[in-house]
Amino acid sequence: MSTHFAADTTVLLGRSMRHVTRSLDTIITTAVMPIAFLLLFVYVFGGAISAGPGRYVDYLLPGILLITVATGVSYTAFRLFLDLQSGIFERFQSMPIARSSVLWAHVLTSVLANAISLVLVLLAALLMGFRSGAGVLAWLAVGGILLVFTLALTWMAVVPGLTAKSVDGASAFSYPLVFLPFVSSAFVPTASMLGPVRAFAEHQPVTSIVDTIRRLFAEQPVGGDIWVALAWCVGALVVAYLLAMATYRRKAA
Amino acid sequence: MTTKPPPAAIHVEGLQKSFQALHVLRGVDLDVPPGSIVALLGSNGAGKTTVIRILSTLLAADGGTATVAGYDVATQPADVRRSISLTGQFAAVDEVLTGRENLVLVARLRHVGSPGTVADDLLRRFSLTEAGGRRVSTWSGGMRRRLDLAMSLIGDPPVVFLDEPTTGLDPQARVEVWAAVQQLASAGTTVLLTTQHLEEAEHLADRIAILHEGRILVDGTLAELKALLPPAQVEYVEKQPTLEDVFLALTQEHA
Ligand SMILES: Nc1ncnc2c1ncn2[C@@H]1O[C@H](COP(=O)(O)OP(=O)(O)OP(=O)(O)O)[C@@H](O)[C@H]1O
Ligand SMILES: [Mg+2]
């Protein structure tokens, strides 16, 4: 069976990528809200926010990239939910294919679709004046962090995708993920926040991830932050993966 | 020398299944000989779909044993899946893909040679060639149902489960499906189907099993089932009793 895992996953990946490319609105919608946040914060609130000496768009972009992924993974839950509802999931389950291929295909689709959305947001930021002198290694590090972050959130999305009773239920889980960056260093420095809020903001995962990406873009040393960021991402990934697999096994009897 | 009867393609013994307090299957026994068509009849909610889902490894039974093509559904599910295909009660097709893409998808997943040719052949066989290039979301219910069935025939599995395969089909399409099922059986495929149309069971099935209150009430050929009706009633209906008469008489008697 496992000899077919790669082949089956590839076939199923091709299938769900067709779902993505045939409803491009899902990618556009994923990119639109983060781009709207970019516009709003750079051109409306940006003047009133003191986030240091540099361009505010440079400060803002890392957090916006995380919001993009948080929005994007809700479509993964949505596509998985539709597969269960339409019965095609059970058809696959009754076929002689590597069982976890069905999930992996959705997860890889999520990674690809989010990558496209991230590129769109990045292009919008470039138009708005974002610049970075980061070298190849720094860009690779940013890509790597975003990849692990996307995988963690995607495996999280698998759980509601498999268990939701309605379409809304399947995507509602991402709302808190979208708003987590607001209580972090993504929009304003945490130093400006009130005591307890500041304590929360400085210790939640988004701040360490955002700070790391920001320093990589700004060609500054990342210090210990990158390890905190990676620990959060990998930790969340492992927990989400185990949870998703347990849910899947229960579902697949 | 004694010739042993060939092992059953589907063998079910004492199958039990409950959903919370609802005891749906209370000891189902059923044997389906290889290459035969067996129709499973039962009222709504009798548990026909539950039996099919257990046999196709989608649901675990609470008790009893079931083997398909010689493999135990509980302990050898992968072998079972290699030997079966399932057409569920509701068409399980990908609406975003075209009909042809659906067929190619299943052909690839079943690792058959030249998936495109297989797809085109099946489209022709089920009169879907014209619609084949359109997205399934634009298809009628009956067309989806035929596509669903066509998807299940790919890879020539020795055992096929059809859960109400002709529900929602027009008479013409129903005849096409019947022909396809008969063709399968004559090529040696074992078919277990459920149906609400009793004349479908009469027309297609070698044997008929009636599931009622969690057990198989009767199991036999059409002639055997008809012989079960009391003679007085046979006289009363003048002509040969239909399967419908038998079904209603039996399930009411045991209600
Ligand atoms: N997953 C489930 N959870 C709870 N109850 C279930 C579940 N699946 C089936 N049931 C119940 O088990 C009983 C048998 O259902 P099943 O679908 O097997 O009947 P059926 O004979 O196929 O009926 P129909 O002719 O309407 O298709 C029904 O009362 C149904 O509500
Ligand atoms: Mg049913």
Side-chain angles (χ1 to χ4, degrees):
Chain A
M1 291 295 278
S2 56
T3 51
H4 285 156
F5 175 79
D8 293 343
T9 305
T10 311
V11 171
L12 290 168
L13 171 63
R15 162 188 177 257
S16 52
M17 278 313 287
R18 278 202 175 130
H19 283 229
V20 172
T21 53
R22 283 179 194 179
S23 46
L24 276 178
D25 52 309
T26 58
I27 286 195
I28 310 279
T29 319
T30 304
V32 159
M33 194 177 66
I35 291 174
F37 279 147
L38 266 182
L39 291 167
L40 190 68
F41 277 85
V42 170
Y43 294 120
V44 182
F45 303 140
I49 296 174
S50 50
R55 282 180 299 263
Y56 184 57
V57 65
D58 291 0
Y59 181 89
L60 187 61
L61 183 64
I64 297 294
L65 293 178
L66 298 194
I67 288 182
T68 307
V69 175
T71 321
V73 293
S74 66
Y75 285 102
T76 306
F78 174 69
R79 281 189 290 267
L80 197 51
F81 174 77
L82 286 191
D83 272 8
L84 263 95
Q85 267 226 315
S86 71
I88 196 114
F89 186 85
E90 290 215 324
R91 177 184 282 281
F92 293 147
Q93 294 296 302
S94 74
M95 285 172 59
I97 57 180
R99 277 208 153 179
S100 54
S101 291
V102 180
L103 281 195
W104 273 105
H106 276 286
V107 168
L108 295 177
T109 302
S110 170
V111 169
L112 290 178
N114 275 299
I116 301 173
S117 298
L118 284 170
V119 168
L120 289 178
V121 172
L122 189 63
L123 288 176
L126 282 170
L127 286 177
M128 293 167 63
F130 167 77
R131 293 294 178 268
S132 163
V136 176
L137 262 180
W139 276 101
L140 280 179
V142 170
I145 291 171
L146 287 174
L147 176 67
V148 185
F149 182 74
T150 306
L151 280 172
L153 261 53
T154 298
W155 281 107
M156 264 178 226
V158 167
V159 176
L162 286 172
T163 54
K165 302 271 185 283
S166 69
V167 173
D168 293 333
S171 34
F173 84 98
S174 72
Y175 301 155
L177 294 179
V178 171
F179 285 100
L180 213 48
F182 285 91
V183 195
S184 79
S185 66
F187 292 90
V188 292
T190 51
S192 65
M193 296 174 186
L194 287 174
V197 179
R198 178 177 177 178
F200 173 78
E202 283 177 354
H203 294 96
Q204 64 123 318
V206 171
T207 294
S208 63
I209 302 169
V210 160
D211 289 351
T212 303
I213 297 179
R214 197 178 282 139
R215 293 221 185 90
L216 285 167
F217 278 151
E219 300 161 87
Q220 287 168 3
V222 288
D225 257 358
I226 190 165
W227 301 116
V228 178
L230 278 176
W232 272 113
C233 287
V234 172
L237 172 57
V238 169
V239 171
Y241 175 80
L242 292 177
L243 201 61
M245 277 303 181
T247 312
Y248 182 58
R249 268 193 295 277
R250 200 147 24 87
K251 195 87 197 172
Chain B
M1 222 175 89
T2 51
T3 50
K4 269 205 307 186
I10 303 171
H11 176 73
V12 178
E13 217 176 297
L15 204 62
Q16 303 263 353
K17 180 71 193 178
S18 300
F19 295 106
Q20 287 90 45
L22 189 66
H23 202 173
V24 180
L25 305 180
R26 309 173 178 202
V28 171
D29 300 313
L30 184 67
D31 272 299
V32 180
S36 68
I37 304 178
V38 169
L40 187 61
L41 303 183
S43 327
N44 288 136
K48 304 179 295 295
T49 299
T50 305
V51 171
I52 301 266
R53 284 168 50 84
I54 292 173
L55 293 178
S56 45
T57 75
L58 293 176
L59 193 68
D62 298 337
T65 55
T67 60
V68 175
Y71 302 112
D72 190 303
V73 294
T75 57
Q76 300 164 292
D79 296 304
V80 171
R81 289 195 282 271
R82 246 189 302 109
S83 316
I84 63 162
S85 82
L86 165 69
T87 303
Q89 183 164 358
F90 305 99
V93 294
D94 188 324
E95 303 214 335
V96 177
L97 302 185
T98 69
R100 190 171 184 280
E101 285 169 343
N102 267 283
L103 292 165
V104 169
L105 172 70
V106 172
R108 289 231 173 94
L109 289 173
R110 283 203 174 259
H111 310 280
V112 302
S114 49
T117 318
V118 171
D120 290 330
D121 286 348
L122 281 166
L123 286 173
R124 206 169 317 116
R125 202 163 131 201
F126 285 90
S127 320
L128 293 168
T129 305
E130 245 160 77
R134 276 197 285 128
R135 286 198 202 181
V136 174
S137 54
T138 66
W139 287 24
S140 77
M143 292 162 73
R144 288 174 203 213
R145 197 63 201 160
R146 266 138 69 203
L147 175 65
D148 193 35
L149 191 62
M151 284 160 79
S152 300
L153 303 189
I154 296 170
D156 301 316
V159 178
V160 172
F161 300 114
L162 306 173
D163 198 355
E164 302 196 21
T166 62
T167 301
L169 292 188
D170 63 34
Q172 169 65 32
R174 177 168 302 165
V175 170
E176 278 173 21
V177 168
W178 286 359
V181 172
Q182 276 162 336
Q183 200 182 324
L184 276 180
S186 62
T189 304
T190 308
V191 180
L192 176 63
L193 61 88
T194 77
T195 181
Q196 298 288 350
H197 303 283
L198 300 182
E199 94 274 7
E200 177 165 293
E202 275 192 62
H203 182 88
L204 273 184
D206 301 313
R207 295 179 72 82
I208 294 159
I210 297 181
L211 179 62
H212 188 63
E213 294 185 339
R215 288 193 183 81
I216 300 292
L217 201 58
V218 287
D219 171 11
T221 63
L222 183 58
E224 286 166 2
L225 261 58
K226 283 182 177 177
L228 288 175
L229 273 201
Q233 201 165 343
V234 176
E235 260 168 55
Y236 179 68
V237 295
E238 277 177 23
K239 55 180 175 100
Q240 277 272 304
T242 63
L243 181 57
E244 187 162 351
D245 298 326
V246 181
F247 179 82
L248 290 176
L250 285 171
T251 53
Q252 269 154 26
E253 185 183 312
H254 289 79

